[in-house]
Amino acid sequence: MKPREGKKPRAGRARRRLVVRQVECKTVLNRSSIGQYTMNCYTGCQHSCIYCYARFMQRFHPHPEPWGEFVDVKVNAPEALGRQLKRAKPGSVFVSSACDAWQPLERKWELTRECCRMLIEHGFRVNALTKNTLVLRDLDIFRPGLTQVGVTITTLDPRLAKLWEPAASSVEERCHVLQTARDAGLETAIMFGPLLPALSDGQDSLNALFERAAELDVDLIWVDAMNPRPRVWPSVGPFLRREFPELHDRYSRLLHDGETREAYVKELGDRVRKAARQHHLEGRLAGCP
Ligand code: SF4
């Protein structure tokens, strides 16, 4: 990708500096093991979640700014996609795997919107997963049978969500996304993850999360344990020292000690299945630790 332009100040809730670069890409649709394809119109994400797994992108696209403080805008994404669609076989596209496709900059650039419109027009299925209400702007282009609208929720506690996901829409706003998408006749999904050890992964928290999923009548639910992906601990560790010092060593063991992690994931899976059973949602549980 080739940089085309300089910096802009960020206007956002987290009041962080944001460096925006306009770049050109050769491709925007990629083959993937997550779905048949993934599509990312941006590199970087303004939502700045503390646990973000997409930080690994910095290995392939090094930036001087920390994660959450840069976004590369692939300004020619629709043109690149147009070229790819001449040859690509229709399939499911996960939007997005390495950024939030509806992060605040998308309001101005409308790249995700245009690319989703093109995908659906060519018979591809768009599986959206976001933490931003901006996705509702695009209801007019989504099509039942060719679109699933999903949101990620890691906790129902607004204070915790604000700490861990400082610039994402509130949890209530994300639930509103699901309700609105469902009312529009679209399939809906929730990703509960990564659950926050000792903060949102207890039985009571899980029961409350599944109760909300039942109220929203979502079609599919995934649950994910926090993963020791590259570059996650350098963000999570100092954050815990600052906000939850009593949890620092516990998270460190869960993420880095194989035996501790194995036992944790098994127990978490048991609790998740129990909560799903309690709310008659076992059949909708598509992924569980
Ligand atoms: S919204 Fe997703 S991609 Fe963006 S910072 Fe949060 S976890 Fe990472």
Side-chain angles (χ1 to χ4, degrees):
M1 289 182 290
K2 184 176 73 172
R4 291 210 318 201
E5 206 184 80
K7 297 178 181 180
K8 283 184 186 177
R10 175 187 186 166
R13 292 202 281 176
R15 288 197 199 147
R16 290 192 187 196
R17 195 174 75 110
L18 181 70
V19 177
V20 180
R21 297 180 179 87
Q22 297 179 34
V23 301
E24 292 193 347
C25 61
K26 289 190 180 138
T27 59
V28 73
L29 189 65
N30 293 302
R31 283 272 179 198
S32 164
S33 56
I34 304 173
Q36 288 163 321
Y37 300 96
T38 60
M39 184 181 76
N40 291 278
C41 293
Y42 304 93
T43 300
C45 185
Q46 292 170 272
H47 287 165
S48 314
C49 304
I50 303 296
Y51 51 74
C52 179
Y53 301 158
R55 292 167 190 276
F56 76 90
M57 290 297 295
Q58 283 176 289
R59 191 170 149 210
F60 307 106
H61 303 286
H63 288 74
E65 306 83 21
W67 184 256
E69 297 188 17
F70 70 87
V71 177
D72 290 351
V73 179
K74 302 178 189 177
V75 291
N76 66 332
E79 289 80 3
L81 181 62
R83 285 193 299 273
Q84 291 186 274
L85 288 178
K86 287 180 187 157
R87 283 192 296 273
K89 200 171 143 206
S92 297
V93 185
F94 180 42
V95 184
S96 285
S97 58
C99 68
D100 195 310
W102 285 273
Q103 60 182 295
L105 277 173
E106 163 64 14
R107 185 177 298 282
K108 169 187 170 184
W109 287 96
E110 298 193 0
L111 296 171
T112 301
R113 176 181 169 81
E114 177 58 11
C115 288
C116 285
R117 190 194 65 70
M118 294 167 71
L119 287 170
I120 291 167
E121 188 179 284
H122 283 76
F124 287 72
R125 177 184 162 86
V126 169
N127 291 331
L129 186 65
T130 183
K131 293 190 185 103
N132 202 300
T133 54
L134 182 58
V135 69
L136 291 178
R137 175 200 63 187
D138 297 337
L139 284 184
D140 61 323
I141 59 161
F142 293 158
R143 293 283 169 269
L146 283 182
T147 313
Q148 177 190 84
V149 175
V151 303
T152 302
I153 294 176
T154 56
T155 171
L156 291 178
D157 181 330
R159 191 188 66 91
L160 284 177
K162 187 71 183 165
L163 277 174
W164 286 86
E165 301 151 351
S169 297
S170 72
V171 175
E172 282 313 308
E173 287 170 329
R174 291 178 229 172
C175 290
H176 173 68
V177 164
L178 293 178
Q179 187 67 58
T180 309
R182 178 151 198 87
D183 291 347
L186 300 171
E187 192 179 301
T188 58
I190 295 187
M191 162 62 84
F192 288 136
L195 292 173
L196 309 170
L199 295 172
S200 69
D201 68 345
Q203 194 65 63
D204 288 349
S205 298
L206 288 167
N207 289 345
L209 288 166
F210 275 85
E211 184 179 357
R212 182 54 73 91
E215 285 165 6
L216 293 164
D217 196 18
V218 293
D219 296 290
L220 286 176
I221 303 165
W222 292 275
V223 183
D224 189 27
M226 190 172 284
N227 276 296
R229 300 260 172 87
R231 298 179 188 244
V232 169
W233 184 245
S235 167
V236 168
F239 168 81
L240 288 170
R241 280 225 186 281
R242 197 171 64 243
E243 302 291 344
F244 303 96
E246 71 284 5
L247 294 179
H248 179 275
D249 292 355
R250 183 167 173 177
Y251 271 59
S252 180
R253 281 194 303 278
L254 283 180
L255 289 176
H256 300 122
D257 178 70
E259 265 183 43
T260 307
R261 178 162 184 77
E262 197 179 323
Y264 169 73
V265 169
K266 184 184 174 309
E267 284 167 19
L268 178 60
D270 291 344
R271 290 198 296 275
V272 168
R273 281 183 285 276
K274 186 172 175 188
R277 272 197 306 279
Q278 185 171 325
H279 295 283
H280 310 291
L281 290 171
E282 308 101 296
R284 303 189 194 185
L285 197 52
C288 180

